[in-house]
Amino acid sequence: MSPEEFRQAGYRLVDRLAAFLEALPDLPVTPGATPGEMNRLLPPDTPLPGNGEDPERILDRTVDLLTKHSSFNGHPRFLAYITSSPAPIGVLGEFLAACMNPNVGAWIGSPAATQIEAQTIQWLASLIGYPSGCAGLFVSGGNVANLTCFIAARTAQVGDKLRSAGLAGTTGGRLRCYAAGETHTWIQKAADICGLGTDAIRWIGVDRDQRMRVEELGAQIEQDLQAGDRPFLVVGNAGTVSTGAIDPLQDLATICAEHNLWFHVDGAYGGFAAAVPEIAANMRGLERADSIAIDPHKWLYAPLEAGCALVRDPRNLREAFSYHPPYYTFDPRAINYVDLGLQNSRGFRALKVWLALQHVGREGYVRMIRDDIALARAFFDLATERDDLEPLAHSLSITAFRYVPPDLKTRVGEAPVGSYLNSLNQRLRDRLEAGGDYFLSNAVIDGIYALRLCVVNFRTSLEDMERLPEVVARLGSELDGDLRPSSLA
Ligand SMILES: Cc1ncc(COP(=O)(O)O)c(C=O)c1O
């Protein structure tokens, strides 16, 4: 492609994407396609093209394809999983990053990009009130950010010998980590991959607000110590995936300090809410964490992928990840990200976040995060006012609720009614998803199947919240008419 062809194709692509962004609110949020239909549209066994084709035509066709057959997390009524509306400046940042294509594994491959990543890490730490001077790096998302911190914790707590001798070669009892039952499934992957096994996880119970019970944590640690086990890590949630619950971080930090355990905070979703002054009090204790995972591709509206691991003491990352093979002789005075994490060749994920932080600044983010929280709250209040919706939980920008036919409202405690409501709401969610107007996900709270909405989206408006109760109630009532067993008539 000549520079001129690149210019033409690029202009055309940007024009088409700008038109797409304009049209987005009026497109269906989900395409309503089945896996079978997509298979027929793009058969995996299509032969590889033998000869090349005009790039503008390929790009045009691809924009058409993706516009017709995608679920849009940038859509104002995408309220399902925690993937945000991508900030347009971040989209341009991805384009710029791909064109420069620095390999941010070693300083020499990316002098400016390395410096930008380092600066972005400090900006993110400052945004959430985490101590400056921490180390950190960009990774693919929350799973890997938490895993990175888990590995750092394991090495720091067990000691250097672990890296050569493995778990079998270390003494001191079985490693144990502690997390609320509501913790995201990354912790199972981490315990498994790191050789501890998922049985090493002590799942601690939660209170009625889905926050970890601190007394139960203390008792479990004591019991494990007496049994000769080796507690090493406590995970606190700064916003759980299901209901946005924030564990009592201050108390967890204190327990960790008393027992000399590593305190990790999973702030992949909610960590950035610590920047909002009226939320900061609930997040107190986060600044005492040894490590924290935060995901710019969630509440900083970065296009996928952008997760971030922060570790208070930079030595802990280096001691967990650094090796010095003879074929890499990098300048030891510089940051070489290969020494701080899992990846060697690394893309320039920081750029889209660095640009967005400058575009809107701290105040812009505080305002947008605050708006998202207010929208989820507004929906909770609207649900409270209706006799056919039952609000179940609200924290940060997540609200969980369910449809309850008015004549069953006084009977929700009866087991057959509870089980019917679970299947009714499950069908309701599926029907909503297929319809393409709103996209919600679900949570299970104390055995109750709940519809769940999460707003991490600067495009969602109050009007989107105000219209939703009626949409859910209409669908719910229709389905109830079709599904209600005669025994519950
Ligand atoms: C609290 C929390 N932790 C971790 C994750 C995993 O993040 P990712 O999907 O970016 O790997 C999520 C995802 O929603 C989450 O909400």
Side-chain angles (χ1 to χ4, degrees), residues 82 128 141-147 149 178-180 182-188 212 233-242 244-247 249 252 262-272 283 286 289-295 298 307-310 396:
I82 315 176
I128 63 171
N143 272 276
V144 177
N146 282 299
L147 171 64
C149 297
Y178 303 81
E182 289 297 301
T183 303
H184 187 275
T185 185
W186 69 262
I187 193 168
Q188 283 148 306
M212 191 198 283
L233 167 74
V234 174
V235 175
N237 288 292
T240 56
V241 60
S242 283
I246 302 166
D247 285 328
L249 303 179
L252 303 193
W262 184 283
F263 178 38
H264 171 69
V265 171
D266 179 3
Y269 156 50
F272 293 113
M283 295 275 183
L286 174 148
D290 294 295
S291 60
I292 171 161
I294 39 177
D295 269 9
K298 294 189 168 63
C308 189
L310 301 180
L396 296 175

Side-chain angles (χ1 to χ4, degrees), residues 98-115:
C99 193
M100 295 297 150
N101 203 31
N103 184 340
V104 201
W107 182 90
I108 190 60
S110 54
T114 295
Q115 211 56 34

Side-chain angles (χ1 to χ4, degrees), residues 288-342:
R288 294 169 66 191
D290 294 295
S291 60
I292 171 161
I294 39 177
D295 269 9
H297 72 201
K298 294 189 168 63
W299 228 341
L300 290 192
Y301 318 106
L304 292 162
E305 302 170 344
C308 189
L310 301 180
V311 175
R312 170 186 295 274
D313 183 341
R315 280 173 306 185
N316 291 136
L317 275 180
R318 212 170 286 280
E319 285 164 8
F321 291 104
S322 176
Y323 285 103
H324 294 288
Y327 42 87
Y328 290 145
T329 49
F330 301 135
D331 185 343
R333 294 165 308 170
I335 300 175
N336 296 295
Y337 279 109
V338 64
D339 289 330
L340 305 187
L342 292 158

Side-chain angles (χ1 to χ4, degrees), residues 41 55 71 83 105 118 126 131 174 218 248 270 330 337 379 397 400 410 418 473-474 477:
L41 189 70
S71 294
T83 35
S126 125
R174 170 153 202 190
F330 301 135
Y337 279 109
F379 181 81
S397 64
T410 54
R474 188 165 24 82
S477 159

